[in-house]
Amino acid sequence: MSELKFSDLVEPVSVDQKTALRVTVLGGGSFGTAMANTAARNGCDTMIWIRDEAAAAEINQTHVNKRYLADFTLESGLKAVTDLETAICNRDIILVAIPSHSFRHVLQQIKPFITSQAVVSLTKGIEAKTFSFMSDIIREELPEVPYGVLSGPNLAKEIMAGQPAGTVIASQSELVRYAVQQALHSALFRVFASDDVHGVELGGALKNIYAVAMGMAAAYKVGENTKSMILTRALAEMSRFAVKLGANPLTFLGLSGVGDLFATCSSPLSRNYQVGFALGSGKTLEQATTELGQTAEGINTIVQVRSRSEELDVYMPITSALYNVIFEGAPPLTIALSLMKNGHRSDVEFVLPHNEV
Amino acid sequence: MSELKFSDLVEPVSVDQKTALRVTVLGGGSFGTAMANTAARNGCDTMIWIRDEAAAAEINQTHVNKRYLADFTLESGLKAVTDLETAICNRDIILVAIPSHSFRHVLQQIKPFITSQAVVSLTKGIEAKTFSFMSDIIREELPEVPYGVLSGPNLAKEIMAGQPAGTVIASQSELVRYAVQQALHSALFRVFASDDVHGVELGGALKNIYAVAMGMAAAYKVGENTKSMILTRALAEMSRFAVKLGANPLTFLGLSGVGDLFATCSSPLSRNYQVGFALGSGKTLEQATTELGQTAEGINTIVQVRSRSEELDVYMPITSALYNVIFEGAPPLTIALSLMKNGHRSDVEFVLPHNEV
């Protein structure tokens, strides 16, 4: 191994503190903390809002987020706060890293303090009851704000360790894209821009479905040919679904699409992969969930997306097959069938669109 | 693991022998043999042409291709022949599975026997001296024939073992696409159609470059974030190059693009990956080649594509960085730099095409 290290790539930061952006991250989980740390390192005036007072105090005293990123020392300029008004008023960018089930409630709480801040979601997922994406929730709760979504293959610990990584900021507003790039871009963290908000957030929201399928396939000891089929058929149905919602299929060629899918499907330790493996080994969902100690997010996503794809009349055979296996007792091999059936049209939906060869 | 097996998916073949296609595969390597076997199983009248008389006789006597697929018994109807006229005359489809350096010469030899047969390349690669793709060579040597190319993540041994797999037949001719699907499609081998000949063959020709990069990255113990960056930046430069040659960028979302790239980059045993790993560990190309006992194909592809991309003025930073590391003594970390540099435009070239955000 060469003696040079990735961190040798880091350029010294020379930011004029007076013009530095004021950034707040809502939520003290691992990815929110990593982004707050990145902004602070870039010279931004950065706060992280955490509801729990003891956790906030600990970060301010020790510069360690012991619960989520115990092995890393945070930038000394990064401040944790618990008061929402302090966190929101007179800030430029609000990065929302709140789980999908609490996302709407937190936006409702910050609404009184919103003036001209940009609001950017860092959360991957779908609101369970409404099937809303995070960008939909922002538009509904804060209809006047400039907004965006950030998504990509971004394991927080790897970012903290200084491994080269990239992500995508998607917004209709060029100003939002530019501001987020200014706040987060560095020599080791590349922030690309897109105007395809739904395309970018759908990559992050749907990928967990296919991690379950990949885990199930692993229980059958499938080879590289079959894994590649799963990956590309997953891309086909994700992009079909996204295009129905107005997204650009080419977005799935990028980091937030195939990049995040690749990272997720290559992680045998993820809960989604493991629940798939257990199901592929003949266990029931109940047995698999008991073993894991909690529900894998991909399972909920399967239920939601299957129902929505039927409403929208989008053909999603892998998702449907997973549903049938998990909830209707079909054999796991149904997944393999879902890859193979239905004619031999173009494998990319949009290349030979009207040609049912 | 469930008791059902993939082979339970196989539908019994009931083909009317009188109308079955007459298929010849030129070349007795592992993939050519696997495709000949697939056609024979589908009921096609199938021949495999092998120059070496002893090898052909052995296949006819033992139904085993001992050199390339020693663990599998071939269909009893599959005939090996050594006479080129017999192999070509009165056939419907000629599948050419000849290495790129002999591809043109074999086409010149079959030219006298060509009447109305379709000629389809199964070969992935670039002719060294001319930078011709296999479809270019077919057009040049046999200008009148209907032609196509077949490419995808298709490890021959996995196909022979009955693991579900898929591939892409690309042709401008709907008849060629249909005939190849009839000959090769089965419950365990799905043949998709595309009309993007250059897009499909470029996936197979260029992927080895990025297997070298992935091996080099592995020497630095990079995480999932960085691997995803390599995969998606590779897709960006492959599709940029292909679009310059008239291909459709969406083709790279499919099996012949990201599917084959994923399979190649996930195979740590491939020569390309291993030479990359040795280079990333500080060895010279000479040392790496000596260890492997032969040159990895990806190294030649890097030289060819770098030169061609400069002629065409296509920006391919990973390929250029690999060239600099391998031939000009740059440190392997140059690859990481190539991922990170040059602004933060859209990560998918064609989403925000003219917007240098």
Side-chain angles (χ1 to χ4, degrees):
Chain A
M1 182 139 51
S2 162
E3 283 173 31
L4 270 169
K5 297 218 173 95
F6 290 123
S7 49
D8 297 336
L9 302 176
V10 180
E11 298 146 5
V13 177
S14 71
V15 181
D16 179 348
Q17 298 293 331
K18 285 176 190 164
T19 63
L21 289 159
R22 295 162 301 177
V23 175
T24 290
V25 176
L26 302 180
S30 59
F31 185 60
T33 304
M35 289 300 99
N37 196 60
T38 301
R41 181 179 292 159
N42 275 354
C44 297
D45 168 1
T46 311
M47 283 181 194
I48 184 163
W49 174 79
I50 302 177
R51 200 185 294 274
D52 183 74
E53 300 218 351
E58 189 176 66
I59 287 178
N60 287 329
Q61 281 153 29
T62 65
H63 306 294
V64 174
N65 181 338
K66 205 166 149 193
R67 181 159 172 209
Y68 291 103
L69 291 169
D71 297 334
F72 301 95
T73 301
L74 303 171
E75 294 290 311
S76 58
L78 175 57
K79 244 182 333 216
V81 299
T82 56
D83 176 51
L84 214 40
E85 184 170 356
T86 310
I88 304 297
C89 291
N90 300 311
R91 313 298 290 169
D92 299 305
I93 306 175
I94 313 297
L95 302 171
V96 190
I98 300 287
S100 57
H101 57 82
S102 315
F103 196 93
R104 186 185 296 274
H105 183 59
V106 169
L107 291 195
Q108 288 164 346
Q109 289 179 284
I110 70 173
K111 186 166 185 177
F113 313 123
I114 288 290
T115 47
S116 61
Q117 303 92 324
V119 175
V120 174
S121 165
L122 307 187
T123 300
K124 293 172 183 174
I126 303 168
E127 190 181 46
K129 286 187 188 165
T130 61
F131 201 87
S132 298
F133 300 105
M134 300 308 119
S135 69
D136 299 330
I137 302 177
I138 298 173
R139 266 200 312 277
E140 286 163 22
E141 300 298 333
L142 306 170
E144 305 295 325
V145 303
Y147 70 93
V149 300
L150 187 96
S151 193
N154 298 145
L155 297 171
K157 285 179 186 172
E158 295 184 4
I159 292 168
M160 293 298 295
Q163 297 270 8
T167 197
V168 182
I169 170 68
S171 176
Q172 300 279 335
S173 155
E174 190 172 341
L175 267 178
V176 170
R177 298 195 297 259
Y178 183 75
V180 171
Q181 289 180 323
Q182 288 298 105
L184 299 178
H185 188 91
S186 76
L188 291 174
F189 190 64
R190 191 165 173 184
V191 183
F192 293 95
S194 168
D195 61 1
D196 184 9
V197 174
H198 266 139
V200 166
E201 69 187 337
L202 272 163
L206 301 186
K207 62 172 187 168
N208 291 327
I209 294 176
Y210 308 102
V212 176
M214 205 59 104
M216 210 176 276
Y220 279 88
K221 299 190 175 65
V222 303
E224 298 305 327
N225 294 354
T226 311
K227 285 186 205 162
S228 298
M229 277 284 274
I230 296 172
L231 188 91
T232 55
R233 301 319 297 151
L235 283 168
E237 65 178 56
M238 285 166 90
S239 57
R240 215 152 43 215
F241 186 81
V243 165
K244 194 85 173 194
L245 298 177
N248 182 339
L250 276 167
T251 297
F252 290 85
L253 261 185
L255 278 168
S256 61
V258 68
D260 204 3
L261 183 64
F262 170 69
T264 305
C265 290
S266 306
S267 301
L269 296 178
S270 84
R271 282 196 300 277
N272 296 304
Y273 189 99
Q274 291 194 337
V275 81
F277 191 89
L279 292 164
S281 307
K283 293 181 180 150
T284 64
L285 179 60
E286 202 180 347
Q287 289 168 325
T289 306
T290 307
E291 274 178 20
L292 284 173
Q294 60 186 121
T295 309
E297 204 183 327
I299 302 297
N300 297 327
T301 313
I302 288 165
V303 176
Q304 293 168 323
V305 171
R306 174 187 174 261
S307 155
R308 192 65 197 275
S309 68
E310 289 184 350
E311 282 167 36
L312 293 173
D313 195 24
V314 180
Y315 178 60
M316 299 184 82
I318 301 178
T319 305
S320 296
L322 284 165
Y323 185 89
N324 294 341
V325 170
I326 298 170
F327 297 103
E328 298 183 340
L333 217 63
T334 309
I335 310 299
L337 279 169
S338 77
L339 296 176
M340 305 309 287
K341 73 185 174 189
N342 219 36
H344 16 237
R345 293 191 296 180
S346 164
D347 71 326
V348 181
E349 207 63 21
F350 314 96
V351 172
L352 282 177
H354 302 297
N355 191 353
E356 299 265 342
V357 255
Chain B
M1 181 141 49
S2 164
E3 283 173 32
L4 271 168
K5 296 217 174 97
F6 290 124
S7 49
D8 297 336
L9 302 177
V10 181
E11 298 147 4
V13 177
S14 69
V15 180
D16 179 349
Q17 298 293 333
K18 285 176 190 165
T19 63
L21 289 160
R22 295 163 300 177
V23 175
T24 290
V25 175
L26 302 181
S30 59
F31 186 59
T33 304
M35 289 300 98
N37 196 60
T38 302
R41 181 178 292 160
N42 275 354
C44 297
D45 168 1
T46 312
M47 283 181 194
I48 184 162
W49 174 78
I50 302 177
R51 198 184 297 272
D52 184 73
E53 299 218 352
E58 188 175 66
I59 287 178
N60 287 330
Q61 281 153 29
T62 65
H63 305 296
V64 175
N65 182 337
K66 206 167 148 193
R67 180 157 172 211
Y68 291 105
L69 291 169
D71 297 334
F72 301 95
T73 302
L74 303 172
E75 295 291 311
S76 58
L78 175 57
K79 245 183 330 218
V81 299
T82 56
D83 175 51
L84 214 40
E85 185 170 355
T86 311
I88 304 297
C89 291
N90 299 313
R91 312 298 290 168
D92 299 306
I93 307 175
I94 313 297
L95 301 172
V96 190
I98 300 286
S100 57
H101 57 81
S102 314
F103 196 93
R104 186 185 296 273
H105 182 59
V106 170
L107 292 195
Q108 288 164 346
Q109 290 178 282
I110 69 173
K111 187 167 185 174
F113 314 122
I114 287 290
T115 47
S116 61
Q117 302 92 324
V119 175
V120 174
S121 164
L122 307 187
T123 300
K124 293 173 182 174
I126 303 168
E127 191 180 46
K129 285 186 192 167
T130 62
F131 202 87
S132 297
F133 300 105
M134 300 308 119
S135 69
D136 298 330
I137 302 178
I138 298 174
R139 266 199 313 275
E140 286 163 21
E141 300 299 332
L142 306 170
E144 305 296 326
V145 305
Y147 70 94
V149 300
L150 187 95
S151 193
N154 298 145
L155 296 171
K157 287 180 185 171
E158 295 184 4
I159 293 169
M160 293 298 296
Q163 296 271 8
T167 197
V168 182
I169 170 67
S171 176
Q172 299 279 335
S173 155
E174 190 171 340
L175 267 176
V176 171
R177 297 195 297 259
Y178 183 74
V180 172
Q181 288 180 323
Q182 288 299 105
L184 299 177
H185 189 90
S186 76
L188 291 175
F189 190 63
R190 191 166 172 183
V191 183
F192 292 95
S194 168
D195 61 2
D196 184 8
V197 174
H198 265 137
V200 165
E201 70 187 336
L202 272 164
L206 300 188
K207 61 172 187 167
N208 291 329
I209 295 176
Y210 308 101
V212 176
M214 204 60 104
M216 210 177 275
Y220 279 89
K221 300 190 172 66
V222 304
E224 298 305 327
N225 294 356
T226 311
K227 285 186 205 161
S228 298
M229 276 284 275
I230 296 173
L231 187 91
T232 55
R233 300 321 296 152
L235 283 167
E237 65 178 57
M238 286 166 88
S239 56
R240 214 152 43 214
F241 187 81
V243 165
K244 194 85 174 193
L245 298 177
N248 182 338
L250 276 166
T251 297
F252 290 85
L253 260 185
L255 278 168
S256 61
V258 68
D260 204 2
L261 183 65
F262 170 69
T264 306
C265 290
S266 307
S267 301
L269 296 178
S270 85
R271 283 196 299 279
N272 296 304
Y273 189 99
Q274 290 192 337
V275 81
F277 191 89
L279 292 165
S281 307
K283 292 181 181 149
T284 64
L285 179 60
E286 203 181 345
Q287 291 167 325
T289 306
T290 308
E291 275 178 21
L292 283 173
Q294 62 186 120
T295 309
E297 205 183 328
I299 302 296
N300 297 328
T301 313
I302 288 164
V303 177
Q304 293 168 324
V305 172
R306 174 187 173 261
S307 155
R308 192 68 197 274
S309 69
E310 288 184 351
E311 281 167 40
L312 293 173
D313 195 23
V314 180
Y315 179 59
M316 299 184 81
I318 301 178
T319 305
S320 297
L322 284 165
Y323 185 89
N324 293 341
V325 169
I326 298 169
F327 297 102
E328 299 184 340
L333 217 62
T334 308
I335 311 300
L337 278 170
S338 77
L339 296 175
M340 305 309 286
K341 72 186 175 189
N342 220 36
H344 16 236
R345 293 191 296 181
S346 164
D347 71 326
V348 181
E349 208 63 20
F350 314 96
V351 172
L352 281 177
H354 302 297
N355 191 353
E356 301 264 343
V357 253

